[in-house]
């Protein structure tokens, strides 16, 4: 996956981002995950765009309502 992602394959970039997000086969690294998501999204990969949007939305709601309120409302992603 890494070689294909390095060559610019958007789907591989997205898949590598998920591996970093989950810490599967690579160390958990949210920054690295977002970097790969941005690369895939820049190429128009819709799943990467969607995950970035969810990430930004969750950050916004964390600031607006606080993490505990989101937990209470069961709005946390299930990954």
């Amino acid at each position: 996956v890494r070689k294909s992602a390095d060559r610019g394959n958007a789907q591989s970039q997205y898949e590598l981002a998920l591996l970093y997000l989950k810490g599967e086969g690579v160390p958990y690294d949210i920054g690295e995950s977002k970097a790969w998501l941005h690369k895939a999204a820049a190429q128009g990969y819709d799943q990467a765009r969607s995950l970035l949007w969810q990430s930004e939305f969750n950050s916004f709601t964390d600031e607006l309502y606080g993490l505990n309120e989101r937990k209470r409302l069961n709005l946390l992603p299930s990954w």
Side-chain angles (χ1 to χ4, degrees):
V1 172
R2 179 66 189 240
K3 288 181 183 181
S4 182
D6 284 336
R7 287 192 298 260
N9 181 286
Q11 181 176 349
S12 294
Q13 291 170 340
Y14 173 75
E15 291 172 4
L16 186 57
L18 292 182
L19 292 176
Y20 277 108
L21 184 63
K22 296 175 183 179
E24 293 180 1
V26 294
Y28 169 81
D29 189 329
I30 192 71
E32 192 72 16
S33 177
K34 282 190 175 186
W36 285 108
L37 284 174
H38 279 284
K39 290 178 183 186
Q43 296 186 69
Y45 199 76
D46 287 336
Q47 288 172 296
R49 288 179 176 182
S50 177
L51 194 53
L52 282 171
W53 181 87
Q54 289 174 4
S55 172
E56 293 302 318
F57 176 77
N58 289 339
S59 294
F60 172 75
T61 56
D62 282 351
E63 290 179 25
L64 189 60
Y65 298 108
L67 183 59
N68 289 334
E69 181 66 5
R70 286 185 48 234
K71 283 182 182 177
R72 186 183 71 75
L73 296 173
N74 199 27
L75 296 176
L76 294 176
S78 60
W79 59 45

